[in-house]
mmCIF file of all heavy atoms in Angstrom:
data_model
loop_
_atom_site.group_PDB
_atom_site.id
_atom_site.type_symbol
_atom_site.label_atom_id
_atom_site.label_comp_id
_atom_site.label_asym_id
_atom_site.label_seq_id
_atom_site.Cartn_x
_atom_site.Cartn_y
_atom_site.Cartn_z
ATOM 1 N N PHE A 12 2.464 -4.739 24.479
ATOM 2 C CA PHE A 12 1.917 -5.673 23.492
ATOM 3 C C PHE A 12 1.553 -6.949 24.253
ATOM 4 O O PHE A 12 2.349 -7.863 24.373
ATOM 5 C CB PHE A 12 2.962 -5.957 22.413
ATOM 6 C CG PHE A 12 2.429 -6.629 21.164
ATOM 7 C CD1 PHE A 12 3.165 -6.582 19.987
ATOM 8 C CD2 PHE A 12 1.215 -7.313 21.152
ATOM 9 C CE1 PHE A 12 2.701 -7.193 18.830
ATOM 10 C CE2 PHE A 12 0.742 -7.929 20.001
ATOM 11 C CZ PHE A 12 1.490 -7.869 18.837
ATOM 12 N N PRO A 13 0.324 -7.018 24.783
ATOM 13 C CA PRO A 13 -0.048 -8.159 25.626
ATOM 14 C C PRO A 13 -0.191 -9.446 24.822
ATOM 15 O O PRO A 13 -0.555 -9.417 23.640
ATOM 16 C CB PRO A 13 -1.404 -7.739 26.208
ATOM 17 C CG PRO A 13 -1.527 -6.281 25.937
ATOM 18 C CD PRO A 13 -0.746 -6.031 24.697
ATOM 19 N N PRO A 14 0.076 -10.592 25.432
ATOM 20 C CA PRO A 14 -0.195 -11.872 24.771
ATOM 21 C C PRO A 14 -1.666 -11.973 24.379
ATOM 22 O O PRO A 14 -2.547 -11.482 25.092
ATOM 23 C CB PRO A 14 0.159 -12.907 25.849
ATOM 24 C CG PRO A 14 1.103 -12.201 26.769
ATOM 25 C CD PRO A 14 0.665 -10.765 26.778
ATOM 26 N N GLY A 15 -1.914 -12.582 23.233
ATOM 27 C CA GLY A 15 -3.281 -12.773 22.779
ATOM 28 C C GLY A 15 -3.841 -11.634 21.956
ATOM 29 O O GLY A 15 -4.992 -11.706 21.519
ATOM 30 N N GLU A 16 -3.055 -10.587 21.717
ATOM 31 C CA GLU A 16 -3.499 -9.491 20.854
ATOM 32 C C GLU A 16 -2.933 -9.640 19.456
ATOM 33 O O GLU A 16 -1.879 -10.242 19.247
ATOM 34 C CB GLU A 16 -3.068 -8.130 21.425
ATOM 35 C CG GLU A 16 -3.942 -7.633 22.557
ATOM 36 C CD GLU A 16 -3.677 -6.178 22.905
ATOM 37 O OE1 GLU A 16 -2.825 -5.508 22.280
ATOM 38 O OE2 GLU A 16 -4.346 -5.699 23.842
ATOM 39 N N VAL A 17 -3.652 -9.045 18.487
ATOM 40 C CA VAL A 17 -3.190 -8.976 17.104
ATOM 41 C C VAL A 17 -3.018 -7.508 16.735
ATOM 42 O O VAL A 17 -3.942 -6.720 16.930
ATOM 43 C CB VAL A 17 -4.191 -9.648 16.143
ATOM 44 C CG1 VAL A 17 -3.726 -9.498 14.695
ATOM 45 C CG2 VAL A 17 -4.374 -11.119 16.488
ATOM 46 N N TRP A 18 -1.860 -7.163 16.223
ATOM 47 C CA TRP A 18 -1.616 -5.800 15.754
ATOM 48 C C TRP A 18 -1.517 -5.811 14.233
ATOM 49 O O TRP A 18 -0.697 -6.544 13.662
ATOM 50 C CB TRP A 18 -0.326 -5.234 16.347
ATOM 51 C CG TRP A 18 -0.418 -4.909 17.814
ATOM 52 C CD1 TRP A 18 -1.344 -5.366 18.716
ATOM 53 C CD2 TRP A 18 0.466 -4.069 18.555
ATOM 54 N NE1 TRP A 18 -1.101 -4.861 19.968
ATOM 55 C CE2 TRP A 18 0.010 -4.064 19.901
ATOM 56 C CE3 TRP A 18 1.592 -3.338 18.231
ATOM 57 C CZ2 TRP A 18 0.648 -3.340 20.905
ATOM 58 C CZ3 TRP A 18 2.237 -2.615 19.224
ATOM 59 C CH2 TRP A 18 1.763 -2.612 20.549
ATOM 60 N N ASP A 42 5.561 -12.342 18.735
ATOM 61 C CA ASP A 42 5.945 -13.755 18.691
ATOM 62 C C ASP A 42 5.767 -14.318 17.285
ATOM 63 O O ASP A 42 6.544 -15.164 16.844
ATOM 64 C CB ASP A 42 5.082 -14.574 19.663
ATOM 65 C CG ASP A 42 5.216 -14.108 21.097
ATOM 66 O OD1 ASP A 42 6.362 -13.974 21.564
ATOM 67 O OD2 ASP A 42 4.165 -13.864 21.737
ATOM 68 N N LEU A 85 -4.625 -15.811 12.222
ATOM 69 C CA LEU A 85 -4.551 -14.723 13.199
ATOM 70 C C LEU A 85 -5.307 -15.079 14.476
ATOM 71 O O LEU A 85 -4.801 -14.895 15.592
ATOM 72 C CB LEU A 85 -5.123 -13.437 12.597
ATOM 73 C CG LEU A 85 -4.429 -12.888 11.346
ATOM 74 C CD1 LEU A 85 -5.153 -11.645 10.846
ATOM 75 C CD2 LEU A 85 -2.965 -12.587 11.622
ATOM 76 N N ILE A 86 -6.507 -15.598 14.310
ATOM 77 C CA ILE A 86 -7.341 -15.946 15.467
ATOM 78 C C ILE A 86 -6.715 -17.101 16.241
ATOM 79 O O ILE A 86 -6.615 -17.061 17.482
ATOM 80 C CB ILE A 86 -8.767 -16.302 15.005
ATOM 81 C CG1 ILE A 86 -9.463 -15.052 14.456
ATOM 82 C CG2 ILE A 86 -9.575 -16.901 16.146
ATOM 83 C CD1 ILE A 86 -10.739 -15.347 13.689
ATOM 84 N N GLY A 87 -6.276 -18.128 15.532
ATOM 85 C CA GLY A 87 -5.701 -19.298 16.199
ATOM 86 C C GLY A 87 -4.453 -18.964 16.979
ATOM 87 O O GLY A 87 -4.274 -19.436 18.118
ATOM 88 N N ARG A 88 -3.573 -18.176 16.376
ATOM 89 C CA ARG A 88 -2.328 -17.809 17.077
ATOM 90 C C ARG A 88 -2.624 -16.948 18.304
ATOM 91 O O ARG A 88 -1.994 -17.102 19.351
ATOM 92 C CB ARG A 88 -1.412 -17.063 16.105
ATOM 93 C CG ARG A 88 -0.908 -17.925 14.954
ATOM 94 C CD ARG A 88 0.250 -18.789 15.380
ATOM 95 N NE ARG A 88 0.618 -19.754 14.373
ATOM 96 C CZ ARG A 88 1.852 -20.219 14.211
ATOM 97 N NH1 ARG A 88 2.835 -19.776 14.995
ATOM 98 N NH2 ARG A 88 2.130 -21.121 13.307
ATOM 99 N N ALA A 89 -3.556 -16.015 18.171
ATOM 100 C CA ALA A 89 -3.901 -15.169 19.310
ATOM 101 C C ALA A 89 -4.480 -16.002 20.444
ATOM 102 O O ALA A 89 -4.181 -15.767 21.631
ATOM 103 C CB ALA A 89 -4.884 -14.080 18.881
ATOM 104 N N ARG A 90 -5.307 -16.985 20.122
ATOM 105 C CA ARG A 90 -5.910 -17.829 21.160
ATOM 106 C C ARG A 90 -4.883 -18.695 21.870
ATOM 107 O O ARG A 90 -5.137 -19.190 22.979
ATOM 108 C CB ARG A 90 -7.013 -18.676 20.544
ATOM 109 C CG ARG A 90 -8.289 -17.870 20.286
ATOM 110 C CD ARG A 90 -9.364 -18.699 19.624
ATOM 111 N NE ARG A 90 -10.637 -17.960 19.580
ATOM 112 C CZ ARG A 90 -11.669 -18.280 18.811
ATOM 113 N NH1 ARG A 90 -11.590 -19.348 18.002
ATOM 114 N NH2 ARG A 90 -12.771 -17.553 18.830
ATOM 115 N N LEU A 91 -3.717 -18.881 21.252
ATOM 116 C CA LEU A 91 -2.625 -19.603 21.909
ATOM 117 C C LEU A 91 -1.830 -18.691 22.841
ATOM 118 O O LEU A 91 -0.860 -19.128 23.457
ATOM 119 C CB LEU A 91 -1.692 -20.203 20.856
ATOM 120 C CG LEU A 91 -2.265 -21.350 20.012
ATOM 121 C CD1 LEU A 91 -1.280 -21.740 18.915
ATOM 122 C CD2 LEU A 91 -2.593 -22.547 20.897
ATOM 123 N N GLY A 92 -2.244 -17.431 22.928
ATOM 124 C CA GLY A 92 -1.533 -16.483 23.786
ATOM 125 C C GLY A 92 -0.310 -15.880 23.143
ATOM 126 O O GLY A 92 0.569 -15.350 23.825
ATOM 127 N N ARG A 93 -0.270 -15.909 21.824
ATOM 128 C CA ARG A 93 0.858 -15.336 21.104
ATOM 129 C C ARG A 93 0.612 -13.845 20.835
ATOM 130 O O ARG A 93 -0.524 -13.390 20.716
ATOM 131 C CB ARG A 93 1.035 -16.049 19.761
ATOM 132 C CG ARG A 93 1.107 -17.564 19.861
ATOM 133 C CD ARG A 93 2.452 -18.048 20.268
ATOM 134 N NE ARG A 93 3.411 -17.961 19.165
ATOM 135 C CZ ARG A 93 4.695 -18.324 19.275
ATOM 136 N NH1 ARG A 93 5.171 -18.746 20.441
ATOM 137 N NH2 ARG A 93 5.506 -18.238 18.228
ATOM 138 N N ARG A 94 1.692 -13.093 20.748
ATOM 139 C CA ARG A 94 1.627 -11.701 20.299
ATOM 140 C C ARG A 94 1.760 -11.728 18.777
ATOM 141 O O ARG A 94 2.820 -12.084 18.264
ATOM 142 C CB ARG A 94 2.738 -10.865 20.927
ATOM 143 C CG ARG A 94 2.683 -10.810 22.455
ATOM 144 C CD ARG A 94 3.922 -10.118 23.008
ATOM 145 N NE ARG A 94 3.885 -10.044 24.454
ATOM 146 C CZ ARG A 94 4.330 -10.995 25.267
ATOM 147 N NH1 ARG A 94 4.848 -12.111 24.760
ATOM 148 N NH2 ARG A 94 4.260 -10.849 26.568
ATOM 149 N N VAL A 95 0.702 -11.344 18.073
ATOM 150 C CA VAL A 95 0.645 -11.556 16.630
ATOM 151 C C VAL A 95 0.671 -10.220 15.896
ATOM 152 O O VAL A 95 -0.152 -9.336 16.162
ATOM 153 C CB VAL A 95 -0.631 -12.340 16.234
ATOM 154 C CG1 VAL A 95 -0.630 -12.629 14.735
ATOM 155 C CG2 VAL A 95 -0.744 -13.632 17.041
ATOM 156 N N LEU A 116 -11.596 -10.684 13.599
ATOM 157 C CA LEU A 116 -11.058 -10.658 14.961
ATOM 158 C C LEU A 116 -12.124 -10.215 15.961
ATOM 159 O O LEU A 116 -12.240 -10.775 17.059
ATOM 160 C CB LEU A 116 -9.848 -9.724 15.030
ATOM 161 C CG LEU A 116 -8.607 -10.172 14.250
ATOM 162 C CD1 LEU A 116 -7.579 -9.044 14.206
ATOM 163 C CD2 LEU A 116 -7.996 -11.421 14.875
ATOM 164 N N GLY A 120 -13.789 -12.226 19.180
ATOM 165 C CA GLY A 120 -13.489 -11.705 20.512
ATOM 166 C C GLY A 120 -12.015 -11.476 20.757
ATOM 167 O O GLY A 120 -11.567 -11.462 21.908
ATOM 168 N N ILE A 121 -11.234 -11.279 19.692
ATOM 169 C CA ILE A 121 -9.791 -11.051 19.811
ATOM 170 C C ILE A 121 -9.511 -9.552 19.799
ATOM 171 O O ILE A 121 -9.958 -8.831 18.903
ATOM 172 C CB ILE A 121 -9.028 -11.720 18.646
ATOM 173 C CG1 ILE A 121 -9.328 -13.223 18.579
ATOM 174 C CG2 ILE A 121 -7.529 -11.464 18.765
ATOM 175 C CD1 ILE A 121 -8.887 -13.994 19.782
ATOM 176 N N ARG A 122 -8.762 -9.088 20.793
ATOM 177 C CA ARG A 122 -8.393 -7.672 20.834
ATOM 178 C C ARG A 122 -7.327 -7.384 19.781
ATOM 179 O O ARG A 122 -6.455 -8.218 19.514
ATOM 180 C CB ARG A 122 -7.874 -7.295 22.224
ATOM 181 C CG ARG A 122 -8.965 -7.293 23.285
ATOM 182 C CD ARG A 122 -8.380 -7.076 24.683
ATOM 183 N NE ARG A 122 -7.605 -5.836 24.774
ATOM 184 C CZ ARG A 122 -8.135 -4.635 25.004
ATOM 185 N NH1 ARG A 122 -9.448 -4.514 25.150
ATOM 186 N NH2 ARG A 122 -7.365 -3.579 25.097
ATOM 187 N N PHE A 123 -7.410 -6.197 19.190
ATOM 188 C CA PHE A 123 -6.458 -5.847 18.146
ATOM 189 C C PHE A 123 -6.113 -4.363 18.236
ATOM 190 O O PHE A 123 -6.829 -3.566 18.835
ATOM 191 C CB PHE A 123 -7.010 -6.178 16.752
ATOM 192 C CG PHE A 123 -8.245 -5.409 16.375
ATOM 193 C CD1 PHE A 123 -8.157 -4.150 15.772
ATOM 194 C CD2 PHE A 123 -9.507 -5.931 16.626
ATOM 195 C CE1 PHE A 123 -9.291 -3.443 15.429
ATOM 196 C CE2 PHE A 123 -10.650 -5.223 16.285
ATOM 197 C CZ PHE A 123 -10.543 -3.973 15.688
#
Side-chain angles (χ1 to χ4, degrees):
F12 194 161
E16 281 192 1
V17 177
W18 288 19
D42 300 310
L85 299 178
I86 292 167
R88 294 280 171 150
R90 284 178 171 164
L91 291 174
R93 308 280 285 179
R94 299 172 179 87
V95 184
L116 293 170
I121 303 297
R122 290 173 57 84
F123 63 87

